[in-house]
Amino acid sequence: FGGYPKEGVLRSIADTLLIGNRIRAQDWQEVFELAVSELEKELSIEGESADPRLYIRLSELYNERVPIEDRYLADSERVLRKAIDLAPQRPDSYYGLGVNLLNRGLSEAAIEIFQRALDLNPKNYKAHWMFGLALASTKRTDESIRELETAVEMGYDWRNLTDIRNLTQVYITIKRYDKLAAMYEEVVRVYPDDPQYHLFLANLYA
């Protein structure tokens, strides 16, 4: 590693991969395999003295590959649970694990983990949002809406394609078309040139 501290170099490599735009797409897989291999080895050597933040970083790397190979969800869970073992008071480990479990359809387990994350850091609006989605998936609608609205009040910005879809599904499931209409009024304001949103809003008022 050219005389530089190995842990610092591995952090830099991980950050480069997570940012994504600093490396050519065709080189990404090769660098990814190197990074996770070296991180796994370094963490194995350090054992119980390892920095739990390195485990969290490694889980984020695994998550980057999940859309292509979902087998990495299990690797991400494994290293997040190790991070929790090493530092059970770190809320970010629980948040990451909750997202992992929810993405695998393990909603009840995710709810328990998100609750733990919020017990440790009630100001994490991302955790409130994901907690709300987990609750919605188990039909706990009142609690779900409360958590989602809390996240927005705290500053969570839901106005992206993924969260628009998620929130649309929640409101349709619980038949809250009033909230759905108000939501799409905001979506149309933010994306005035997107005809699909205008059409959806018109259908709501039809």
Side-chain angles (χ1 to χ4, degrees), residues 95-106:
Y95 171 76
L97 180 57
V99 173
N100 178 288
L101 295 170
L102 184 59
N103 286 338
R104 295 161 70 185
L106 303 173

Side-chain angles (χ1 to χ4, degrees), residues 133-181:
L133 294 180
L135 289 165
S137 70
T138 60
K139 312 301 181 186
R140 294 160 64 175
T141 55
D142 291 341
E143 295 170 85
S144 170
I145 294 300
R146 183 173 66 246
E147 291 298 325
L148 293 171
E149 291 182 347
T150 295
V152 173
E153 289 168 4
M154 294 176 70
Y156 184 81
D157 188 357
W158 53 270
R159 297 169 300 180
N160 59 79
L161 182 59
T162 298
D163 285 329
I164 289 171
R165 287 175 180 163
N166 287 333
L167 198 52
T168 297
Q169 187 59 49
V170 170
Y171 286 148
I172 289 175
T173 299
I174 64 175
K175 297 181 170 57
R176 288 301 304 269
Y177 301 110
D178 56 331
K179 289 185 175 291
L180 192 60

Side-chain angles (χ1 to χ4, degrees), residues 59-174:
S59 79
E60 293 170 348
L61 282 179
Y62 282 131
N63 288 339
E64 286 293 306
R65 293 299 294 171
V66 167
I68 299 172
E69 297 180 80
D70 62 6
R71 66 186 176 89
Y72 286 114
L73 278 168
D75 290 309
S76 178
E77 179 187 5
R78 170 177 54 80
V79 296
L80 284 167
R81 290 193 183 278
K82 184 61 179 179
I84 290 171
D85 288 342
L86 291 174
Q89 299 303 309
R90 286 192 66 91
D92 45 349
S93 301
Y94 292 95
Y95 171 76
L97 180 57
V99 173
N100 178 288
L101 295 170
L102 184 59
N103 286 338
R104 295 161 70 185
L106 303 173
S107 300
E108 292 292 351
I111 286 170
E112 181 179 345
I113 295 297
F114 283 131
Q115 185 62 72
R116 179 62 174 149
L118 289 168
D119 287 343
L120 292 169
N121 180 15
K123 296 181 179 180
N124 184 346
Y125 53 74
K126 290 183 180 180
H128 280 286
W129 181 265
M130 297 304 296
F131 187 30
L133 294 180
L135 289 165
S137 70
T138 60
K139 312 301 181 186
R140 294 160 64 175
T141 55
D142 291 341
E143 295 170 85
S144 170
I145 294 300
R146 183 173 66 246
E147 291 298 325
L148 293 171
E149 291 182 347
T150 295
V152 173
E153 289 168 4
M154 294 176 70
Y156 184 81
D157 188 357
W158 53 270
R159 297 169 300 180
N160 59 79
L161 182 59
T162 298
D163 285 329
I164 289 171
R165 287 175 180 163
N166 287 333
L167 198 52
T168 297
Q169 187 59 49
V170 170
Y171 286 148
I172 289 175
T173 299
I174 64 175

Side-chain angles (χ1 to χ4, degrees), residues 1 6-7 9-11 13-14 17 30-46 54 58 61-62:
F1 288 90
K6 186 175 183 179
E7 184 174 309
V9 173
L10 291 173
R11 287 181 188 273
I13 293 173
L17 286 168
E30 182 178 345
V31 179
F32 166 80
E33 291 175 356
L34 170 65
V36 297
S37 174
E38 291 297 328
L39 276 169
E40 290 278 13
K41 283 193 284 187
E42 182 71 9
L43 290 168
S44 176
I45 292 169
E46 294 184 8
L54 275 182
L58 180 55
L61 282 179
Y62 282 131

